[in-house]
Amino acid sequence: MGNRFQVKDRFADGAQYIDGQLRSGTSGQSHTVVNPATGEEVLTYELASTADVDEAVAAAKRAFPAWSSATPGERSDALHRLAAVLAEQAEDFAYAESLQCGKPIKLSTEFDVPGTIDNTAFFAGAARHLQGQAAAEYSGDHTSYVRREAIGVVGSIAPWNYPLQMAAWKILPAIAAGNTIVLKPAELTPLTSLMFAQAAKDAGLPDGVVNIVTGAGRDAGEHLVGHPDVVMTSFTGSTAVGKRVAEIATATVKRLHLELGGKAPFLVFDDADLEAAAHGAVAASLINTGQDCTAATRAYVQRPLHDAFVARVAELMETVRLGDPFDPATDLGPLVSHAQRDRVAGFVERARGYATVVTGGEVPGGELAEGAYYRPTLVSGAAQDSEVVQSEIFGPVLVVLPFDTDDEGIELANDTPYGLAASAWSRDVYRAGRATREIKAGCVWINDHIPIISEMPHGGYKASGFGKDMSAYSFEEYTQVKHVMYDNTAVAEKDWHRTIFGDRI
């Protein structure tokens, strides 16, 4: 990666970004960012207090009138400049993302960073297309049209699994629509969110449009969501925390967008290409070390292919290379923390009592022993109602179950509280079409699992939340629709007035 910046020097002024400046938090409590591959300290910083949140919201509120009144073309130009700055700093972003998360550098370099640049370029264009229903005389006597207006200060909370991409997914549609934002990243992984805000300043966005407060969820996060000057909140994270966010937001009558947990089914019909399905399952279950709410977690395989699928997936998983995230040959990095690694291991250890661990299910030793590593794990023979099938594990664990009929396969795919993503594998267009209609998830892939694109929406059904990230559909979350109606008659005494007072002539 060449000579990278020194994190402690880059963030010597603190890990809060308020009104265009890095500064230290004032909570009196510190937090340490740890490299999960080695356990070594990356940065110790002061957490944000509620007073810091107040200052960030005030900065966003001050910036809102000018930013919201900028033309769509002006906001578009600013975002095009931001995309260019991100591209110039791509190596630094990839380095920081891998350092704080343990992601293999090839994932940061080829997925996280280019995906974020593409999102930025997409919203630069979308900023010019905030459209409403065509103006027309729907009543006959009036001309009606629809305005889409920015809603105000947005307070968003992003998770630790994709810090850079999730920051972009929150910030970009909000500011493209003319809002200003205060984002709280996860305390574990604040570096690239802060860098994104700095890049926005480098691109010429006004101070206060993008603010970052890095603090504890129960303090800074809850204060941000409940702040009276925050008119909308967007949260990505677990369903349990999402429920708490919803309680606070609804108590203050805020607009709310939730992208929550997932337990994505991977449905393999008996006419599927077995080799394609096996390779797809390994990639889709292990992406980001399984720390992805759309990752394949439950493979349902029609019985004629089940045993061959299990054997082939196990064989492929055993070829996956664990190692130093900065080694280009590394396939799988550590989980984000030792606590998360131990949580994942706990699911697998409990599953040994009722299922078979086909491969993996262990913490590696040797050079990797100090990191939060866990081997790719395949589990078979679990019951549909078991913990390992129903609960979100958020690690490199795939569970395989058999099914007999198409009806049963689709029923099993829908049989969890979640509905974020799913895939179906078949050569039969009618089978595939049925799966897209009947699987209850916000995204259904056919003969693939995981690819996302900026032009298409991302969001869930059921306990996976509501509202959309990415695409033009995300503007539904970040704009207010206003109906404007003009009288065209210039008649003082209108006929409809007689339904309220007086007599018809």
Side-chain angles (χ1 to χ4, degrees):
M1 292 294 292
N3 295 319
R4 298 273 65 84
F5 64 86
Q6 295 298 310
V7 171
K8 292 179 182 179
D9 293 339
R10 177 72 176 262
F11 300 107
D13 292 331
Q16 318 301 324
Y17 189 83
I18 299 173
D19 206 14
Q21 298 293 326
L22 277 176
R23 46 172 281 185
S24 185
T26 60
S27 69
Q29 298 177 316
S30 63
H31 185 83
T32 299
V33 177
V34 173
N35 178 350
T38 63
E40 296 174 347
E41 175 192 343
V42 173
L43 176 71
T44 297
Y45 65 92
E46 295 298 313
L47 291 165
S49 66
T50 57
D52 297 324
V53 173
D54 289 341
E55 289 194 31
V57 172
K61 187 176 180 180
R62 286 193 301 271
F64 175 73
W67 182 248
S68 62
S69 62
T71 67
E74 289 168 339
R75 292 198 295 269
S76 176
D77 288 347
L79 291 178
H80 278 300
R81 294 194 301 270
L82 175 56
V85 171
L86 295 173
E88 290 170 3
Q89 300 177 8
E91 283 195 12
D92 284 350
F93 274 97
Y95 169 78
E97 195 77 337
S98 289
L99 185 67
Q100 67 182 349
C101 300
K103 293 175 188 283
I105 193 64
K106 66 179 181 179
L107 182 66
S108 294
T109 301
E110 298 177 28
F111 182 75
D112 296 71
V113 174
T116 300
I117 295 169
D118 186 71
N119 285 169
T120 307
F122 170 80
F123 279 107
R128 290 179 176 264
H129 296 282
L130 288 170
Q131 298 173 341
Q133 193 169 355
E137 287 68 50
Y138 296 101
S139 77
D141 292 335
H142 307 81
T143 296
S144 288
Y145 67 89
V146 168
R147 291 176 55 88
R148 281 195 177 274
E149 298 181 346
I151 56 177
V153 177
V154 176
S156 293
I157 299 176
W160 47 257
N161 58 333
Y162 289 102
L164 175 59
Q165 289 205 73
M166 295 299 99
W169 286 16
K170 301 301 182 195
I171 292 169
L172 291 169
I175 66 173
N179 304 293
T180 55
I181 189 168
V182 179
L183 174 75
K184 192 197 89 65
E187 304 96 296
L188 290 172
T189 55
L191 304 183
T192 47
S193 298
L194 293 163
M195 292 168 63
F196 190 93
Q198 290 177 304
K201 181 172 179 125
D202 292 344
L205 274 75
D207 292 347
V209 172
V210 178
N211 305 274
I212 309 293
V213 289
T214 308
R218 290 190 177 276
D219 300 320
E222 292 197 1
H223 189 65
L224 176 62
V225 174
H227 198 288
D229 288 332
V230 169
V231 298
M232 181 253 183
T233 192
S234 177
F235 169 80
T236 296
S238 71
T239 298
V241 177
K243 290 178 180 178
R244 175 60 181 157
V245 170
E247 289 175 2
I248 299 169
T250 54
T252 50
V253 199
K254 285 179 171 47
R255 185 176 294 200
L256 181 62
H257 166 219
L258 298 175
E259 199 266 83
L260 306 178
K263 190 71 178 174
F266 188 99
L267 186 61
V268 182
F269 293 104
D270 58 14
D271 68 329
D273 181 326
L274 177 62
E275 193 69 6
H279 278 81
V282 173
S285 62
L286 300 184
I287 184 172
N288 204 37
T289 319
Q291 299 166 127
D292 185 316
C293 47
T294 62
T297 59
R298 302 177 288 138
Y300 297 101
V301 185
Q302 208 150 22
R303 206 170 293 275
L305 288 185
H306 176 270
D307 291 352
F309 178 88
V310 170
R312 185 61 175 138
V313 169
E315 183 179 37
L316 290 171
M317 279 189 169
E318 289 164 6
T319 70
V320 172
R321 299 163 297 189
L322 281 69
D324 177 1
F326 291 102
D327 183 343
T330 293
D331 297 321
L332 196 74
L335 287 103
V336 75
S337 67
H338 287 79
Q340 179 66 12
R341 191 271 313 277
D342 293 345
R343 178 181 179 276
V344 170
F347 276 101
V348 177
E349 291 308 307
R350 292 189 294 275
R352 293 183 193 277
Y354 55 80
T356 299
V357 177
V358 179
T359 189
E362 62 184 14
V363 174
E367 294 180 355
L368 302 181
E370 297 301 315
Y373 289 89
Y374 196 73
R375 293 201 183 281
T377 301
L378 183 65
V379 177
S380 68
Q384 174 65 16
D385 62 355
S386 62
E387 177 191 51
V388 77
V389 175
Q390 292 292 322
S391 298
E392 187 174 30
I393 298 173
F394 228 56
V397 180
L398 177 65
V399 185
V400 184
L401 297 87
F403 70 93
D404 292 303
T405 67
D406 290 16
D407 288 349
E408 180 190 11
I410 290 174
E411 181 181 357
L412 290 170
N414 285 328
D415 185 30
T416 72
Y418 301 106
L420 187 58
S423 65
W425 298 72
S426 174
R427 291 183 171 97
D428 186 323
V429 65
Y430 297 104
R431 261 180 161 172
R434 180 188 177 190
T436 65
R437 293 189 302 273
E438 296 186 16
I439 293 177
K440 304 304 181 186
C443 176
V444 180
W445 292 282
I446 299 299
N447 295 325
D448 209 342
H449 191 117
I450 282 298
I452 54 175
I453 51 176
S454 298
E455 291 82 0
M456 288 291 112
H458 177 87
Y461 285 34
K462 303 189 292 185
S464 291
F466 47 82
K468 300 299 179 185
D469 289 307
M470 297 197 300
S471 84
Y473 290 96
S474 65
F475 286 135
E476 300 298 326
E477 319 303 327
Y478 294 100
T479 57
Q480 185 68 265
V481 173
K482 178 186 288 184
H483 170 213
V484 178
M485 195 176 206
Y486 282 92
D487 171 60
N488 293 328
T489 67
V491 173
E493 298 182 23
K494 294 180 172 59
D495 189 54
W496 76 265
H497 294 171
R498 306 288 75 78
T499 63
I500 312 301
F501 73 100
D503 299 320
R504 292 188 186 276
I505 300 173

